[in-house]
Amino acid sequence: MRAFVFVCLLMCIMALASARRHHARETEESDKLAVTLYYESLCPYCMTFVTTQLGPSMLLNDRLPFADLQLIPYGNAHLDDEGNVVCQHGVEECDLNAWHGCILQHHNITEAMTMIACMMRGKKNRLDKCAEHYSIDVSDVKECRNSRSVNDILKEYGRETAEVKHQGVPAVALDYVYNVEEQSSLLNHFDIVFCAQYELMYHLKLKNCV
């Protein structure tokens, strides 16, 4: 009888410990501030924001572990009467948007953010140069782009963009909310706003936050 009671007690303790570990994992995984960027690859303002605000915040200041970052490479594109994607800055931008889409679909967000920030430092396709610089294998990206049409790659990003009534790009949503009144602060002082919002939501001040 005593052995039975001991076994039951031990099982309860193990179950409680497992539940606590599971809860800790859930808490750790959920303590991320959602950041969604709606952009297009050849927009000068998007290029500036990614290379001087978002990229440095996520990569240099190491905010990625605390962010649920989503990049949506579609911007002000639209569908023509035949259902083809037409981009604001022409065919070259549609092509680059598609390359970005393939990067996002085949790489984790750290590698994708690294590659896209690097590529947006110029107006040409810098995929190979950036991949070599950061030692990232992009063979899967090339297979994606060469085997699929622009329309196919970008259609999901078009649907996601259509759900947001943004007033031009870059457009940033925090915690899945796009607020037009916050765009100026986000686009010019992204890291400061991210830090403040993270501390407000999770009661934790991140390192190197002002």
Side-chain angles (χ1 to χ4, degrees):
M1 181 67 179
R2 289 181 179 177
F4 176 75
V5 172
F6 175 77
V7 170
C8 290
L9 181 61
L10 181 60
M11 291 178 65
C12 290
I13 292 173
M14 291 175 64
L16 180 60
S18 177
R20 285 176 175 171
R21 286 196 299 270
H22 180 68
H23 176 72
R25 286 196 299 271
E26 284 187 337
T27 300
E28 182 179 352
E29 292 172 359
S30 64
D31 286 355
K32 292 188 176 185
L33 175 56
V35 177
T36 309
L37 171 65
Y38 302 88
Y39 75 104
E40 53 196 24
S41 58
L42 291 182
C43 163
Y45 302 108
C46 296
M47 296 170 73
T48 297
F49 174 69
V50 169
T51 57
T52 67
Q53 294 288 329
L54 184 66
S57 176
M58 292 291 111
L59 300 172
L60 298 182
N61 292 348
D62 199 27
R63 308 297 185 213
L64 264 180
F66 309 96
D68 179 10
L69 178 63
Q70 295 185 39
L71 304 179
I72 314 296
Y74 196 81
N76 295 317
H78 65 277
L79 298 179
D80 64 15
D81 294 338
E82 297 179 353
N84 296 313
V85 179
V86 178
C87 295
Q88 183 174 6
H89 298 92
V91 176
E92 289 185 359
E93 181 169 74
C94 278
D95 183 55
L96 278 172
N97 286 352
W99 281 104
H100 286 202
C102 284
I103 291 170
L104 291 162
Q105 292 166 21
H106 290 275
H107 286 262
N108 62 50
I109 192 58
T110 301
E111 290 186 345
M113 181 74 257
T114 299
M115 285 292 298
I116 288 172
C118 178
M119 290 178 70
M120 292 187 76
R121 294 190 183 104
K123 293 187 176 182
K124 300 296 183 181
N125 190 340
R126 292 161 45 91
L127 180 76
D128 288 330
K129 183 176 182 178
C130 293
E132 181 180 359
H133 181 76
Y134 291 104
S135 300
I136 296 175
D137 182 2
V138 293
S139 55
D140 49 1
V141 175
K142 292 181 178 181
E143 172 62 23
C144 168
R145 181 65 192 91
N146 293 331
S147 63
R148 299 170 62 193
S149 68
V150 167
N151 291 340
D152 181 45
I153 296 169
L154 296 182
K155 62 183 179 182
E156 66 177 271
Y157 302 115
R159 287 195 295 266
E160 293 181 61
T161 302
E163 296 177 359
V164 179
K165 297 186 183 302
H166 63 79
Q167 298 183 2
V169 291
V172 182
L174 280 188
D175 196 27
Y176 306 107
V177 176
Y178 170 77
N179 187 333
V180 66
E181 296 180 357
E182 295 177 350
Q183 293 306 295
S184 178
S185 296
L186 281 165
L187 298 180
N188 293 292
H189 310 285
F190 177 81
D191 195 64
I192 293 174
V193 177
F194 180 89
C195 286
Q197 185 67 20
Y198 192 92
E199 184 174 2
L200 179 66
M201 291 180 63
Y202 300 113
H203 311 291
L204 175 66
K205 185 170 184 177
L206 300 177
K207 292 181 179 179
N208 304 320
C209 283
V210 177

